[in-house]
Amino acid sequence: MDLKGRSFLTLKDFSPEEIDYLLDLAADLKGKKKKGILGTSLKGKNIALIFEKPSTRTRCAFTVGCVDEGGHPEYLGKDDIQLGYKESVEDTARVLGRMFDGIEFRGFKHENVEKLAKYSQVPVWNGLTDDYHPTQILADFLTMKEQFGHLKGLHFVYLGDGRNNMANSLMIGSAKMDIDFTIIAPKELWPAQELVDLCKEYAKSNGSKIVLTESADGVSGADVLYTDVWTSMGEEEKAAQRIALLSPYQVNMELMNKTGKDSTIFMHCLPAVKGKEVTEEVFESEKSVVFDEAENRMHTIKAVMVATLGEM
């Protein structure tokens, strides 16, 4: 499958077959790395890593993935370039596109990563925006395939802040990949209706379903329980309000047991605030696969770079 030259901004832009291809490529690259076999597909390629928001997993995954394939990553923090301040995003994109072969962006406005893709003329990869976090979803799906052997027909439940970038992206990815998807959250934190309707269209064509509910009884039959921090970066002033609103949706062992399945796993994109959205007991239990997810950020991000920029 040829994805050369494509940007990776949201899973809305990719077919189920293309997502499967990226997951298979990531699994292959992971297997090779475990054997000490590294690639050269990014040899001679220079990659800009733009970070408006700090990061552990995203920065490390892009850096190590790039180096593993022979490329050179250049970190550009918010104080290193004038993105959108002294220089427009469009102009910065045109400059970076002349100097770099690919660009990663992690920041606030999704329109900024779209402008980078439009004006740079090189592949651009979304490392997280306020609306979407697509590289995390690939890591989550690779982890689920490792745990269950398949994605189709799994029952995935997300609890907590249902209108953040993770809930949005998990809903899109699940609808595309024929995973039954449930958001359990207070109504005021449900995703935008326009996105829900779009994902229901995806789900209808793939035979899966999307459910939004305020009731924790929705965890019944779940294969995966997933949560995220209750207060996203840039929303710190809402912390007390979110804790009061979302405390009934904490993932604890009682909730894990309500799925009725011994095989249910717990997932979290990290970093976690233990004692808030998830208890220490669940986080540290053998049900938790959060560090498999964290490692798989590297393998799936490497796959995205190799597929869209590398010489295969």
Side-chain angles (χ1 to χ4, degrees), residues 13 87 94 96 110-111 140 193 198-199 208 295 309:
D13 300 333
E87 184 172 54
R94 286 182 281 201
L96 295 179
H110 189 73
E111 68 184 70
D140 296 338
Q193 190 60 47
L198 176 66
C199 289
S208 57
E295 178 191 339
L309 180 62

Side-chain angles (χ1 to χ4, degrees), residues 166-177:
M166 280 306 305
N168 288 345
S169 297
L170 285 165
M171 181 167 61
I172 296 165
S174 295
K176 292 253 183 181
M177 301 309 288

Side-chain angles (χ1 to χ4, degrees), residues 279-290:
T279 60
E280 181 100 21
E281 182 183 17
V282 170
F283 188 90
E284 298 293 346
S285 74
E286 56 187 31
K287 304 263 189 193
S288 174
V289 296
V290 296

Side-chain angles (χ1 to χ4, degrees), residues 137-186:
I137 310 315
L138 291 183
D140 296 338
F141 285 0
L142 179 60
T143 306
M144 289 159 61
K145 285 189 82 169
E146 290 171 347
Q147 291 293 318
F148 298 105
H150 62 96
L151 294 176
K152 184 180 172 69
L154 291 176
H155 182 193
F156 188 108
V157 175
Y158 175 93
L159 300 104
D161 183 357
R163 40 96 271 169
N164 71 6
N165 48 24
M166 280 306 305
N168 288 345
S169 297
L170 285 165
M171 181 167 61
I172 296 165
S174 295
K176 292 253 183 181
M177 301 309 288
D178 202 6
I179 298 166
D180 289 331
F181 183 77
T182 300
I183 285 181
I184 302 178

Side-chain angles (χ1 to χ4, degrees), residues 97-122:
R98 302 241 179 161
M99 298 184 181
F100 291 92
D101 302 289
I103 300 170
E104 176 275 348
F105 174 82
R106 179 183 176 91
F108 294 93
K109 294 180 180 176
H110 189 73
E111 68 184 70
N112 284 349
V113 80
E114 292 177 328
K115 287 177 182 177
L116 284 169
K118 180 178 179 180
Y119 289 95
S120 69
Q121 303 297 304
V122 299

Side-chain angles (χ1 to χ4, degrees), residues 49-51 59 74-83:
L49 306 179
I50 302 175
F51 282 82
R59 179 177 177 180
E74 184 67 35
Y75 178 80
L76 300 171
K78 61 184 177 65
D79 297 323
D80 296 322
I81 56 173
Q82 313 294 338
L83 186 76

Side-chain angles (χ1 to χ4, degrees), residues 121-140:
Q121 303 297 304
V122 299
V124 173
W125 310 297
N126 180 3
L128 175 143
T129 63
D130 286 345
D131 295 336
Y132 305 110
H133 196 3
T135 60
Q136 178 67 52
I137 310 315
L138 291 183
D140 296 338

